[in-house]
Amino acid sequence: MASPAGISGHDGARDQLLSHLRGLDPWQLEDFKLALQCPELLPEGARRIPWADLRAAGPADLLCLLEERFPGRRTWEAALRVFEDLRLSSLCEQMRAELHEMSQVCRLQDPNQEEPETVEETAHRRRYRERLRTRILALWDCTPWPEDHIYLRHVTQREHAELQGLLRPRGAGAPPLTMLLEGAAGVGKTTLATKLVLHWAEGVLFRGRFSYVFYISGHRLAKLGDISFAGLLALDWPDSQVPVEEFRAHPERLLFVIDGAEEVTLGSKGSASRPGADWYQELPAASILFRLLKKELVPEATLLVTAGPPGGRALRGLLLRPCRVGIPGFTEGDRREYLRRFLGDPDVAEEAWRRMRGSETLVRLCAAPLACWAVCAGLKRQLAGSPASALALGAPTPTSLYARLFCSLLAGAEPGLRTGSSAGQWRAFCSLAAEGLWLAAFTFAGDALERWRLEAPFIDGLLRLQILRRVSDCEHCVTFAHRSFQEFFGALFYVLWGARGSLGGVPRHQEMRRWLNHAFADANPYWRQMVRFFFGLLGTDLARQLEEAVGCRMSPGVADEVLDWAEELERCGAVSGRFDFLWLFQCLHETQDENLARRVLNHLPVADLDIQGCEHLRVSSFCLKHCPKLRKLRLSVSRRVLEKKWTSGLGTPDGNLSELDLSNSKLSTASMMRLCLKLGNPRCRLQKLAWKSMAPVEGLRKLGLLLRGDRHLTHLDLSSNSLDAAVSRGVFRMLGHSACGLKYLWLESCGLSTEVCHQLFTELGRNSSLSFLSLADNDLSHVELARLREPPGTATCALKELSLEKGNLSAAACEDLASLLTSTPRLTRLCLGLNPLGDEGVQLLCGSLTRPECVLQRLELWCCRLSTPSCRHLSDALLRSRSLTHLNLRRNSLGDGGVKLLSSALGRADCALQSLNLSHCSLTVAGCRELAHALKCNGHLKILDVGNNDVQDEGLKELCRVLKSPSCVLQTLGLEKCSLTAACCQPLSSVLRSSKSLENLNLLGNDLGPDGVSRLWMPLRKSTCKLRKLGLEKDLCSVVSAELEKLHEKGCFLRVKSQWDFNDPEERWWW
């Protein structure tokens, strides 16, 4: 037996914390981010996360930022501290319990710790242990391994301690342990589980802790019919007298080892109508397993469950707070030692290892012992032909090694496996492999083999070659010797000649498109290895070798089908969002066919690549040069690289690349210089460049010098870089060049000093192109903002949009800001959010807003510590300003009094305001009444957001009375988290029936219930209803999904969203 190299303690803490972050609503998520900006909430000595990185981060990105700043357990501690500050008490309680669990569980036990005292053993328990030992040894004896397989280790003292540590005793009062062993196929999960059972049966481990250990095989269970739980335990009992009452008397001394639970189709086999603890009730075997896993049958027992992908993901949701442990398989040292001993010659082995290291995929594949054998065997056969030329090549591809191995095995096999008469058998065999992958079936019973008319001699031949194996605890069942073997032959099915799909009803090319979409457009990891083999088999040399080996013709049109798929993706716009560009590049590199890569990538407009190693760099270099239509590239290099090929496409005369994002890249100094030279090349037509959080930051000095006079570059984002005076001088000088065409500049979270800001303002005085500038998240409290004013007697300043968000600006800065509003004639947008301006500061600003020289159209004052007095000044400004159309006041404690003051201006027919955000402003029913009165006379307001206020049903009824009016022009109404119930749905329904303007309605975070939504839905069925987007909670979206489908069939454009997005691109603005 092969032994796993070790146990990787991993308890799923990351997934659990991510789940907590995803459970936050948008308001809570924003609160979480804002709290992370408070130094007192951060761990001691921790660096603050730049607001530029934090602001737009979703839950997954947010977790990555937390892990980067607060590694290890500190990630959880930092998150818990923030949740406590947000007063999410139930979540905090749950997290504290999970943290305690992490400290108690999944930590390897001290090997010197003594086990509990052994209970005196009965005769029937001795007989059971002997019976179990015999069964486990029989399982091992029935598992064949290739003759030249290398056995690296046997049971060591360290492994003994690891096995013991898996199930260390729990503290007093701790819940019974559920352990989930996870890992890739073939890494040794079953080996580890059966060793644990064997050591108990031999009296080496756990005799003092567990009176009985039961080994339950998923293979075996899947073939059973109805059975009782007692009957299941009796299958391995030496006689018919199963001591059930003894088991039930001490359930805490029972251990159930459930191996391969994913082999059983569980579904939701638990039934509330049947008592879960009845050990004698006969049920389907899957139901018994379901109840055992859910701790319904023996709640006090300990469970150890093994699962590989994709079953592990489903089991995580089924098991009650499982402690997850990763089984990594062979370590890197093991893989290197395996290759050395397999090849024999140390020098050849060392050079072969160097080649293999160039392919992270190959190295990762070798974590599984049998896959390691397959790779080494393929490499040995490749070297046998011509060692010198083979070693001179680059890293071999997995497909080439597997193809070489199988062709070699078949060359020495009996004629029945390699003559023309066996071609039909090979097609059926490959179809069986593909069907199994579709159905997540990896064990095949005799009836499945008969259905595909696979003959016994053919199967026996594959068993002798150890492509297949017998399943030791499932009579007449076979499985592929390793999951990757099934994936290889499944991929081969799709390149063989023939039109029929593996599932019967769908043609082969349509099946192919479905899993290509799963692998790339949906980024589903399940299909990754098969897809890689598929692309590798498109290479003509490999196809020719396999044609000869299996006697089957390869389809000459598969490459064209792949091209059709790629073109269809481009036409329907699927090459965006979650599309896995890097995996596509890796698969195209697997073909080793530059012509095919060129044809597939010919129309690729965008690419998003995270380079995390040499293999990623190599495949990106291979593919990027074949992307002539590439316009937008986001490239993050997480390790320092010396390779220069990947920059070659930037300076070509016919290059179409217009957008490049290199954020979070870590480059060597040499690579940085080469890239800067490319960007500075006159033939480079790049328009948009983002380079956030880059290293080394000193390279920006060179970049600024090279981009001076660049007429093409219009957008530059250098946020989250530490720009000192020396570095910023090189960047800012480009602004003063007469030929500079830069229009948009982001310098957020750059730690800009007062001196650097003044230097920037000086250069802007000489610039006539820059219309947008963001200095968000820099300390601007001592900066003379008045220096941004247009110099007297000139008309060069083109600045239209300015963001000073989170600039530590107080009322003292507002005098300069007020002056800026009247002396910068083109400034139409100003963001001052997250600054402690206070009522005094707003008073100074409003003085300028009323001046005719001020042309400001959009003003962001969110979270600026404003209260009711500010609304008096803003109300006056709204009446006297003819330009201000958008005002954002969210997250200010304005109260009903403040809303009343604002409504006095809104109620005037000459008020020009079109968009007003009053979310999270302490508004109640009384405030809604004031807004309703104002809307009666207002003919301009189109967007109103009153979300996260205590509006209640009564407040909404006040608004509904005016929304029904034909004179009301409101198009978007935000009511998220407004304490609404089903009672508000009738008046809302009336509005939807009669309104001629309302197009977007956000009702997320409200307890409307299915009945309320049903009432709301009635007017939506009518063609006269103008609503185009409706925000509802996820569970309510499913209530209306069938009705929505019917509306879409009739040509209705209504969208129902469980996450609100912006209707108007203007509303998301650049801050």
Side-chain angles (χ1 to χ4, degrees):
M1 292 293 294
S3 171
I7 299 166
S8 169
H10 115 66
D11 57 1
R14 189 181 195 280
D15 288 349
Q16 190 60 48
L17 184 52
L18 180 58
S19 174
H20 293 327
L21 292 173
R22 283 177 171 158
L24 300 176
D25 64 39
W27 290 98
Q28 291 170 331
L29 189 63
E30 186 175 67
D31 285 337
F32 189 99
K33 296 174 186 177
L34 291 172
L36 283 174
Q37 298 297 292
C38 302
E40 61 271 17
L41 292 179
L42 302 182
E44 188 176 351
R47 292 182 298 132
R48 184 178 64 85
I49 302 174
W51 182 245
D53 298 337
L54 201 56
R55 182 178 48 204
D61 292 332
L62 179 56
L63 180 55
C64 290
L65 292 169
L66 288 171
E67 290 173 326
E68 182 182 338
R69 288 299 193 281
F70 322 122
R73 185 184 174 92
R74 296 173 76 206
T75 305
W76 272 72
E77 292 169 347
L80 178 58
R81 198 174 287 117
V82 172
F83 287 140
E84 287 172 340
D85 184 68
L86 301 182
R87 299 180 182 178
L88 300 174
S89 53
S90 59
L91 179 55
C92 291
E93 186 178 341
Q94 182 181 349
M95 284 189 65
R96 288 189 200 99
E98 289 163 348
L99 273 168
H100 178 70
E101 187 81 3
M102 281 187 269
S103 65
Q104 297 295 320
V105 187
C106 298
R107 189 181 299 161
L108 292 180
Q109 177 177 307
D110 180 356
N112 299 317
Q113 181 178 342
E114 294 183 5
E115 287 200 0
E117 185 180 346
T118 303
V119 179
E120 185 179 349
E121 188 166 53
T122 59
H124 63 258
R125 191 183 302 158
R126 275 197 304 274
R127 291 197 302 274
Y128 172 69
R129 284 199 298 106
E130 185 57 39
R131 171 80 172 252
L132 186 61
R133 178 180 180 275
T134 303
R135 181 189 170 195
I136 297 299
L137 290 175
L139 290 178
W140 287 8
D141 290 341
C142 292
T143 304
W145 286 82
E147 289 182 4
D148 51 354
H149 172 60
I150 305 296
Y151 294 87
L152 289 185
R153 62 164 61 79
H154 300 286
V155 179
T156 64
Q157 186 176 359
R158 175 175 174 270
E159 187 179 53
H160 218 152
E162 289 177 340
L163 288 169
Q164 194 174 29
L166 275 177
L167 298 171
R168 64 192 302 267
R170 316 298 305 281
L177 177 63
T178 296
M179 178 74 67
L180 179 60
L181 300 186
E182 297 180 289
V187 294
K189 301 180 295 296
T190 294
T191 300
L192 185 64
T194 51
K195 275 186 177 180
L196 190 149
V197 174
L198 181 66
H199 292 343
W200 175 84
E202 292 177 334
V204 178
L205 280 180
F206 305 126
R207 283 190 62 191
R209 178 156 179 220
F210 298 115
S211 299
Y212 295 97
V213 173
F214 302 97
Y215 179 74
I216 299 174
S217 163
H219 294 302
R220 186 187 198 184
L221 206 62
K223 305 305 173 188
L224 295 177
D226 286 2
I227 194 170
S228 68
F229 185 48
L232 179 64
L233 301 184
L235 293 177
D236 286 320
W237 200 255
D239 52 52
S240 59
Q241 300 300 315
V242 183
V244 171
E245 294 310 313
E246 182 184 348
F247 300 160
R248 300 182 76 162
H250 296 285
E252 74 284 353
R253 296 185 62 81
L254 303 181
L255 168 63
F256 293 91
V257 178
I258 303 166
D259 184 29
E262 72 270 22
E263 293 288 340
V264 183
T265 305
L266 292 170
S268 55
K269 302 291 182 182
S271 173
S273 63
R274 296 175 175 177
D278 187 344
W279 286 40
Y280 294 98
Q281 182 183 15
E282 290 206 350
L283 294 169
S287 294
I288 297 291
L289 180 59
F290 182 92
R291 294 181 175 198
L292 182 59
L293 293 171
K294 292 285 285 182
K295 291 287 184 83
E296 293 176 2
L297 279 168
V298 199
E300 300 86 354
T302 298
L303 300 184
L304 188 145
V305 186
T306 73
R313 189 175 295 109
L315 282 170
R316 288 175 217 160
L318 178 64
L319 297 171
L320 301 180
R321 293 175 66 178
C323 172
R324 292 168 55 201
V325 172
I327 308 300
F330 278 171
T331 65
E332 184 170 312
D334 291 335
R335 298 168 221 191
R336 191 172 188 171
E337 174 67 8
Y338 194 103
L339 181 65
R340 186 189 67 77
R341 289 169 59 177
F342 196 94
L343 295 182
D345 187 322
D347 294 333
V348 173
E350 192 60 30
E351 182 60 26
W353 173 252
R354 187 190 64 77
R355 285 182 56 211
M356 278 181 59
R357 284 294 304 274
S359 171
E360 285 93 343
T361 301
L362 268 183
V363 175
R364 189 166 53 248
L365 189 62
C366 287
L370 193 66
C372 191
W373 168 81
V375 168
C376 291
L379 189 58
K380 187 173 185 177
R381 286 160 172 77
Q382 192 179 74
L383 291 169
S386 174
S389 60
L391 289 174
L393 299 171
T397 66
T399 313
S400 66
L401 293 181
Y402 271 55
R404 181 65 66 102
L405 169 65
F406 292 131
C407 288
S408 175
L409 290 174
L410 291 173
E414 56 263 40
L417 287 177
R418 51 189 175 86
T419 60
S421 60
S422 66
Q425 289 288 284
W426 278 110
R427 286 196 190 91
F429 176 66
C430 293
S431 187
L432 173 76
E435 180 192 53
L437 290 167
W438 275 112
L439 303 177
F442 310 107
T443 300
F444 305 95
D447 56 350
L449 304 179
E450 289 175 10
R451 182 164 46 84
W452 285 105
R453 298 180 182 175
L454 287 165
E455 299 166 359
F458 183 81
I459 295 297
D460 290 341
L462 296 177
L463 289 166
R464 282 189 289 274
L465 293 178
Q466 295 186 354
I467 293 173
L468 292 179
R469 281 179 171 177
R470 295 278 182 202
V471 179
S472 50
D473 53 356
C474 181
E475 194 176 0
H476 306 306
C477 294
V478 297
T479 185
F480 284 84
H482 187 260
R483 179 79 54 84
S484 60
F485 291 12
Q486 182 173 349
E487 290 163 333
F488 182 88
F489 287 104
L492 183 58
F493 169 74
Y494 290 99
V495 297
L496 292 176
W497 186 278
R500 185 175 182 270
S502 67
L503 297 176
V506 180
R508 180 183 58 81
H509 73 278
Q510 289 186 18
E511 276 188 8
M512 182 195 76
R513 286 188 173 216
R514 280 171 58 189
W515 52 252
L516 284 173
N517 287 335
H518 285 316
F520 296 112
D522 299 332
N524 186 341
Y526 176 74
W527 296 99
R528 289 175 77 88
Q529 191 56 56
M530 192 188 91
V531 170
R532 185 164 193 150
F533 283 141
F534 168 77
F535 273 86
L537 292 171
L538 295 179
T540 52
D541 290 342
L542 289 183
R544 193 178 305 112
Q545 293 173 30
L546 286 165
E547 272 188 340
E548 294 174 5
V550 300
C552 296
R553 287 184 60 197
M554 301 293 161
S555 172
V558 179
D560 291 330
E561 291 171 2
V562 172
L563 289 173
D564 291 342
W565 164 77
E567 290 173 7
E568 179 64 27
L569 278 181
E570 170 58 20
R571 281 195 297 271
C572 68
V575 186
S576 60
R578 297 179 58 193
F579 191 88
D580 198 337
F581 295 96
L582 189 57
W583 187 242
L584 176 63
F585 282 14
Q586 286 179 281
C587 290
L588 288 171
H589 181 263
E590 189 82 9
T591 67
Q592 297 292 292
D593 186 338
E594 296 206 27
N595 182 50
L596 178 62
R598 186 179 300 111
R599 292 165 68 196
V600 170
L601 298 172
N602 185 51
H603 301 290
L604 190 72
V606 298
D608 189 332
L609 307 172
D610 282 311
I611 308 296
Q612 296 182 2
C614 295
E615 182 180 7
H616 289 172
L617 189 62
R618 185 173 61 255
V619 301
S620 298
S621 303
F622 177 84
C623 291
L624 281 175
K625 61 187 178 184
H626 297 310
C627 301
K629 306 290 177 62
L630 192 67
R631 298 191 305 272
K632 182 177 180 179
L633 173 63
R634 194 200 71 79
L635 185 67
S636 175
V637 184
S638 63
R639 300 180 189 174
R640 296 189 182 276
V641 293
L642 300 174
E643 183 65 58
K644 61 183 180 181
K645 292 180 182 177
W646 61 276
T647 63
S648 61
L650 298 179
T652 52
D654 58 344
N656 290 295
L657 191 67
S658 60
E659 297 183 38
L660 177 62
D661 187 343
L662 293 168
S663 299
N664 304 304
S665 289
K666 309 293 185 287
L667 305 180
S668 67
T669 302
S671 294
M672 179 77 178
M673 293 303 104
R674 279 194 293 267
L675 179 60
C676 288
L677 288 171
K678 287 289 183 182
L679 294 172
N681 191 314
R683 294 177 296 177
C684 178
R685 295 295 185 265
L686 199 67
Q687 296 174 11
K688 299 180 181 180
L689 174 61
W691 212 332
K692 300 166 64 175
S693 300
M694 58 83 66
V697 72
E698 292 77 15
L700 288 176
R701 194 184 315 173
K702 182 76 171 176
L703 178 68
L705 293 172
L706 289 170
L707 292 180
R708 290 186 69 192
D710 190 318
R711 296 179 181 275
H712 303 289
L713 192 68
T714 58
H715 295 64
L716 180 61
D717 189 349
L718 300 177
S719 299
S720 302
N721 290 301
S722 182
L723 301 182
D724 59 23
V727 173
S728 56
R729 190 178 299 115
V731 176
F732 295 164
R733 279 181 179 171
M734 62 184 285
L735 294 171
H737 196 283
S738 59
C740 176
L742 200 66
K743 295 180 180 179
Y744 295 81
L745 178 61
W746 289 262
L747 297 170
E748 301 175 353
S749 305
C750 286
L752 302 181
S753 65
T754 300
E755 176 193 353
V756 168
C757 288
H758 291 165
Q759 179 186 347
L760 171 63
F761 297 166
T762 300
E763 296 296 343
L764 284 176
R766 305 187 185 101
N767 182 280
S768 59
S769 63
L770 197 73
S771 61
F772 166 91
L773 175 65
S774 179
L775 300 176
D777 196 26
N778 290 288
D779 188 353
L780 307 175
S781 56
H782 299 294
V783 174
E784 297 176 36
L785 295 171
R787 293 196 185 195
L788 266 174
R789 288 181 297 185
E790 195 169 89
T794 68
T796 57
C797 185
L799 199 62
K800 294 179 180 178
E801 302 166 286
L802 176 64
S803 175
L804 304 175
E805 181 180 274
K806 203 173 180 296
N808 196 25
L809 299 174
S810 62
C814 289
E815 193 170 337
D816 273 1
L817 288 170
S819 172
L820 195 66
L821 290 176
T822 55
S823 59
T824 311
R826 296 177 181 83
L827 190 64
T828 57
R829 301 181 180 183
L830 177 63
C831 178
L832 297 173
L834 267 178
N835 284 295
L837 303 180
D839 299 328
E840 184 184 348
V842 167
Q843 182 179 3
L844 291 170
L845 284 175
C846 288
S848 290
L849 288 174
T850 60
R851 299 274 296 275
E853 308 96 281
C854 177
V855 295
L856 199 70
Q857 296 172 5
R858 293 174 179 256
L859 177 60
E860 298 270 333
L861 293 172
W862 73 280
C863 203
C864 285
R865 301 185 187 175
L866 310 185
S867 60
T868 301
S870 291
C871 297
R872 181 175 291 106
H873 309 301
L874 287 166
S875 179
D876 184 51
L878 288 174
L879 285 174
R880 298 171 61 185
S881 171
R882 291 294 169 264
S883 61
L884 193 64
T885 56
H886 292 68
L887 180 61
N888 186 351
L889 297 173
R890 70 185 180 92
R891 285 188 176 273
N892 289 292
S893 298
L894 306 181
D896 292 330
V899 173
K900 182 176 182 179
L901 291 169
L902 289 172
S903 297
S904 65
L906 286 173
R908 296 276 295 272
D910 54 350
C911 178
L913 199 68
Q914 297 176 19
S915 175
L916 177 61
N917 192 335
L918 293 174
S919 55
H920 212 311
C921 285
S922 305
L923 157 68
T924 70
V925 176
C928 292
R929 192 175 295 118
E930 297 295 337
L931 285 170
H933 287 315
L935 288 173
K936 286 179 183 177
C937 306
N938 186 295
H940 299 285
L941 196 69
K942 296 178 181 178
I943 300 172
L944 175 63
D945 194 342
V946 292
N948 215 356
N949 286 297
D950 193 23
V951 171
Q952 300 186 36
D953 298 332
E954 288 304 314
L956 182 53
K957 287 176 184 176
E958 294 286 347
L959 291 171
C960 285
R961 291 190 182 100
V962 70
L963 291 173
K964 290 188 291 185
S965 170
S967 61
C968 181
V969 296
L970 201 69
Q971 296 175 355
T972 298
L973 178 59
L975 293 166
E976 185 170 348
K977 292 186 74 174
C978 282
S979 305
L980 305 178
T981 70
C984 76
C985 293
Q986 190 56 51
L988 262 179
S989 178
S990 179
V991 168
L992 294 175
R993 193 175 291 112
S994 58
S995 174
K996 303 299 181 186
S997 61
L998 192 63
E999 295 180 355
N1000 307 289
L1001 179 61
N1002 184 1
L1003 295 172
L1004 284 164
N1006 292 293
D1007 187 16
L1008 304 180
D1011 292 340
V1013 172
S1014 296
R1015 284 199 291 273
L1016 198 63
W1017 200 260
M1018 293 178 66
L1020 298 178
R1021 297 190 182 103
K1022 299 184 179 296
S1023 58
T1024 54
C1025 182
K1026 300 295 182 183
L1027 202 69
R1028 291 293 172 264
K1029 187 169 66 173
L1030 175 64
L1032 291 176
E1033 288 298 294
K1034 254 184 189 176
D1035 56 333
L1036 297 178
C1037 285
S1038 60
V1039 170
V1040 300
S1041 59
E1043 288 281 349
L1044 185 63
E1045 230 175 278
K1046 292 177 184 176
L1047 288 179
H1048 288 168
E1049 289 171 2
K1050 294 178 181 178
C1052 176
F1053 296 103
L1054 176 67
R1055 292 177 297 151
V1056 179
K1057 312 284 285 185
S1058 60
Q1059 284 189 330
W1060 194 253
D1061 55 2
F1062 297 91
N1063 335 291
D1064 175 4
E1066 290 294 318
E1067 281 303 298
R1068 36 183 151 189
W1069 205 9
W1070 31 267
W1071 46 69

